[in-house]
Each structure stands twice: as C-alpha cells, then as structure tokens.
Amino acid sequence: MTSCVNGEARANNDEEKSFEEKLQLITRNLQEVLGEDRLVDVLKIRDVKIYWGTATTGKPHIGYFVPMTKIADFLNAGCEVTILFADLHAYLDNMKAPWDLLALRTEYYENVIKAMLISINVSIEKLKFVRGTEFQLSKEYTLDMYRISSLVTEHDARKAGAEVVKQVDHPLLSGLLYPGLQVLDEEYLKVDAQFGGVDQRKIFTYAEKYLPQLGYKKRVHLMNPMVPGLTGDKMSSSEEDSKIDLLDDPATVKRKLKKAFCEPGNIENNGVLSFAKHVVYNLMPETEGLDIKRSKENGGNVTYYKYADLELDFGNENLHPGDLKIAIEMYINKLLEPIRKTFSHPKLQKLTAAAYPQLSRKLAKSEADPSRLELKVGKILSVEKVWFKQFSSFGLFLLIVDQFFIQHPDAETLYVQKVDLGEEAPRTIVSGLVSFLTVDDLLGQKVVVLCNLKSSKIRGVESMGMVLCAYTENPKQMELLQPPGDTFPGERVSVEGYESGAPDEQLNPKKKVWENVQADLKTSREFVAQWQGNNFMTLSGPVKCKSLIGAKIK
C-alpha cells in the first residue's frame, strides 16, 4: 500500500525546524491547550517530552487513528514521545480488564498500536513504550498515591473522573484512585506535557491543582476533539455498532459503514464526516484529495482537496451519504490492510483469542451468545421452605408449608420465593438452596435472575426463572450472585462486550442456549461473575459472589 501519510512531511522529519514550525505541528487541530505559555518556554530551550496513555480495556478501533495522527505530528516536530499502556488504570476502572487478562490485553495493545503507527508511516524507533505496572507499583509511586489521597476529597476525585471513569451513586474506591494515578504518571514519566482527548479535561485540571501541592511542577495539557462513532454518539470499544475494529475484514467494514449514521445535510455528530476530518485529511498529502466516484447522473466524479469543501457540499446536500461512505470505506480498508496482514501471523492470532476470549470460539448464535440471556436484578420479597412428598400409589405430590409438617425421610426440601423484577407482579421461583442458605440469608437480598427460561412445574409449583449462584463441588459450597447495592429490581445485567445484543423472548430448550453459555461461566479471582473472562455488569458495576474463586455458575 502506498503511504497515506504526508510523505514530504515525513521526509523532512530529520531536518531542523524553526520554533514556529514545531509549535504549529504540536498544536494544530487540537481543541484546547492548557499551559501554552509553558509549552513555548520549553520549546525555546529544547524539544518537548510528551506522553499519551491508553487504558488497555476493550479492543482498539479506527477511532485510535485520531490520536495516532497527532503522535505523528509530535514526532515530526522533534518531540520525545512516550506511549503508556495503562494496564493498572484498566483494572481500576470497574475492572474493565480482569486481572487474569491484564498482561495479555497489554501485549495485544502494544502489537496493534505498533501496527497502526507503521500503517501510517510513523517510525516506532523514535517512540518509547511503557507499561503502567512497570513503575506504578514501586515504593516511591505508592507513597505518592498515599500523599495525594490525603489531599483530595471524594468530591474532587469523582469530579475529575466524571468523563472517563464509569459513574455510579456508590463508586468503588478503585475508580476514585484512577485520576490520581494519571496525575502522578506525568511526574514519573518525566514529561513536559500530557496528550489526550478533551473528555479528560477534568483530570488535566485536577493534575494542575494537585501536582504543585506534592512539590511537582505543572505540565502542559494537549487535548484532541472527541470524534463521534458510527451511531453518532461517542465511539466505544464496548458498543459494537459504534466502531470499526482494526481487524474487521472488508465485508464487515462495508456492513458497518452502510448502517452508520450519516443523515443527508447533517454535519453534526456525523462519525463518517468526522473520520474524514480528523484522520483522512490529516494524513493525506495536500497534493492529493479524497476521490468520490459517482455516475454522471449524480454529478460525476469529484475530488475534494480540502475538508471544508467536502463538508460544505455535504451540508448543502450536493454530496450523497452513500457516495461519501464508499470513498471512506476504500480509505479505511487501505489503512487496515497492513494491520490485518500483521495479525494474520499465528502467534498474534493466538494472542488475540487469549486476550479477548469471546473471539476464540466462532459459534453460531444458536450455540452460545450471552446477549440472548435475559438477566435482571431481582429482590427476594418472601421465602417459604416447603416439603414435597411423593405418593407413589397416586403419582401425586403434596405441598405443605414447613411449620405445619413433620419431616418425612422421603421428602425433598425446596424454597419457593417471590422475587420483584420490576414487573407488575412478583415472580414465583423454586430453588434447591435449602442445604446451603437459610431463609434469612435470602430474604430481602438482591440477586441475578435468568428471566427468559421456559417456565416449568417443580413438584406442582410453576417456577418462572432461575436465581443464579456460584458453586463448587469439592467442598460443596454455594453463594448467591449479587449485584451492587444501588441497583434496582428489573435493571438489566449484561455481559461486558455483549451489551448491544437483544435477549430472546424465551430460550428454546432444544437449542440449549443456556447450557452452552453456562459451560463458560465462572467467577474470577476477584469473585466477579464472568463469561469467557468478560464481567457480568450492571450500571453500578460488576456482579460478584461473596468468596468463591473459580466457581461454576448455575
């Protein structure tokens, strides 16, 4: 593939640039710069040291080309650039990267970002790659974390992470620590400036306030604009329809772009136009333009050498969304082809499958897809311990409440529970938890309920769901899966990475969807319920059991 990057600019990279040229390259296309006077002061003396950090959570997507184009500018301006793979940050942000997968996902990020930079002709020899856990677990760093925690209020910590860390009414302490780590990274990486999206502005102002209180200098903060995803909202790794994965094949790129929000004449929150503005025109030589192929009846072929002209024609509806999408599709495939080629290597394919295990099994939707399960938060309103005795001569079952029955050795003990699921009436659910949990253990508890199983009669009582538990065989133990305390009855529980799927109205027993999904359900070392390493999540955080590690879930 021919380079999509301005070849003339790359060729001049080693030539001595003037102060004005360097400043222009560093600051062009940014939405905001905090501390530009400090940037100027450093640049008058020497080249600037900049770092960009990325938390190693979901898989990087084409939106990552936006910061990559600025990293190319920084390098072209002679800056010393460090890319921080923020593995510890990834764990602290509601455990978006489970500890078991942290090292694998960091390795994946390093390989895929190197492939991205090479695809736009950025020399990685001039870059420094650092993993957060290489220095964030040191004695000095840890002591500084204690020092900053003695200065910061809970209000300021929450405010700083408002646009970056998942916000809930009762946040985990880990999420409150997250901004402090990002502040200290500036000092421990010994940089002059931090680069990031404008969504991190509150963390940047937090750094400017608290670093001097620790005796460290303020840094410059360089902010990129936020680029909308294909749905018109923020591009997200966890929202499949909002982004194009860096390893998507051409057919998938076509399909996703075809569905992308690109309303005729609408230039606001338009992910296709934004990609053209922030990636295509930043990488394309000024002598080249974006070629639009179309029939004579639709205006004929046209080349846009400036983004402003492209936007003007689109806004005036002189350029059809379908024609724009075809041109962007071709450009994206040119960018992605060398990345796909790099990741065709068996070693990297194995790494991808291990770091993101949901991709390791290419199952048909009928076999295993956790988004087909309707999982909800429930609250147990009442519990009755009931004895069931079979009268073999009649083939009938008698149901008698515990306090009015003398136990018979042939009787089986079960609980009949009324569970609030945010519906008009509570559901009746029968469960065999008597040997593990008392009535008091269950009454009033919030639980996770599988709601779209086909209802069944158990000893003559219709059961309309299943309360999920973690269990071990040796020794035999069972604990409830419990959502965070500030969840509400009826709130959806989803599997991370599968949030956009629609659950079946009712699971077909013949297709064994539940059985196939259940085979890969277990608890992590942090007691979090997971499917193939992906957390069960609510709006308030992950679903956990009390103490069982590596337990199966049923």
Side-chain angles (χ1 to χ4, degrees), residues 294-312:
R294 56 189 181 182
S295 65
K296 290 183 179 180
E297 292 78 11
N298 291 325
N301 296 342
V302 62
T303 299
Y304 291 97
Y305 293 97
K306 295 182 179 179
Y307 172 76
D309 296 333
L310 175 76
E311 183 182 282
L312 182 63

Side-chain angles (χ1 to χ4, degrees), residues 243-516:
K243 48 88 179 181
I244 291 172
D245 188 271
L246 295 170
L247 302 182
D248 279 345
D249 58 36
T252 303
V253 172
K254 179 185 286 291
R255 175 178 58 81
K256 288 183 177 180
L257 276 174
K258 190 174 182 180
K259 294 167 59 178
F261 175 79
C262 193
E263 185 180 35
N266 188 342
I267 62 174
E268 301 295 329
N269 297 321
N270 186 325
V272 181
L273 267 182
S274 293
F275 187 82
K277 179 179 181 179
H278 295 289
V279 177
V280 176
Y281 281 91
N282 280 350
L283 295 177
M284 193 182 298
E286 292 181 3
T287 54
E288 296 182 16
L290 183 66
D291 294 325
I292 305 291
K293 307 292 184 183
R294 56 189 181 182
S295 65
K296 290 183 179 180
E297 292 78 11
N298 291 325
N301 296 342
V302 62
T303 299
Y304 291 97
Y305 293 97
K306 295 182 179 179
Y307 172 76
D309 296 333
L310 175 76
E311 183 182 282
L312 182 63
D313 264 9
F314 188 87
N316 291 332
E317 298 190 31
N318 294 325
L319 175 60
H320 191 273
D323 296 325
L324 174 63
K325 287 181 179 182
I326 290 172
I328 296 300
E329 176 193 336
M330 293 177 63
Y331 193 89
I332 288 174
N333 280 320
K334 285 182 180 180
L335 281 176
L336 298 187
E337 188 53 37
I339 302 173
R340 296 180 190 128
K341 186 176 180 180
T342 298
F343 273 77
S344 66
H345 192 285
K347 181 180 178 181
L348 291 180
Q349 288 184 339
K350 184 178 179 180
L351 172 63
T352 303
Y356 297 93
Q358 71 269 24
L359 300 180
S360 63
R361 293 172 60 194
K362 296 183 178 178
L363 299 175
K365 189 173 181 181
S366 60
E367 292 179 347
D369 183 342
S371 68
R372 298 184 68 173
L373 307 182
E374 186 180 23
L375 300 171
K376 291 184 178 180
V377 174
K379 183 176 181 180
I380 299 177
L381 302 179
S382 67
V383 185
E384 288 183 331
K385 186 197 293 185
V386 178
W387 304 107
F388 295 91
K389 181 179 178 184
Q390 182 173 0
F391 289 80
S392 56
S393 57
F394 299 103
L396 300 174
F397 294 92
L398 246 184
L399 176 138
I400 306 178
V401 179
D402 182 30
Q403 57 263 36
F404 298 106
F405 190 82
I406 300 174
Q407 185 175 359
H408 187 283
D410 295 332
E412 181 179 359
T413 317
L414 298 172
Y415 283 132
V416 176
Q417 303 154 106
K418 296 291 185 182
V419 183
D420 178 10
L421 288 161
E423 300 168 336
E424 289 187 10
R427 291 199 193 191
T428 299
I429 298 178
V430 178
S431 61
L433 300 174
V434 175
S435 299
F436 302 96
L437 300 167
T438 68
V439 171
D440 288 340
D441 290 333
L442 296 171
L443 194 59
Q445 293 297 317
K446 288 181 182 177
V447 292
V448 175
V449 178
L450 177 58
C451 298
N452 59 341
L453 283 173
K454 185 177 180 180
S455 62
S456 59
K457 284 197 173 183
I458 301 175
R459 302 295 190 262
V461 179
E462 186 173 20
S463 182
M464 303 178 65
M466 179 190 296
V467 175
L468 296 188
C469 297
Y471 74 100
T472 58
E473 293 288 355
N474 188 21
K476 285 188 176 294
Q477 299 178 86
M478 186 171 289
E479 296 177 356
L480 293 171
L481 292 188
Q482 293 192 279
D486 53 351
T487 52
F488 53 88
E491 180 179 338
R492 184 186 178 193
V493 177
S494 60
V495 175
E496 193 173 35
Y498 291 82
E499 296 91 343
S500 59
D504 291 5
E505 184 175 345
Q506 185 179 89
L507 296 177
N508 186 337
K510 293 181 180 179
K511 293 188 180 292
K512 298 187 179 298
V513 176
W514 164 242
E515 289 81 358
N516 281 294

Side-chain angles (χ1 to χ4, degrees), residues 3 34-35 57 74 88 90 125 130 143 158 196 334 389 436 541 551:
S3 170
L34 293 178
T57 52
F74 298 151
L88 194 53
E125 294 177 2
V130 177
L143 289 174
R158 291 191 68 176
K334 285 182 180 180
K389 181 179 178 184
F436 302 96

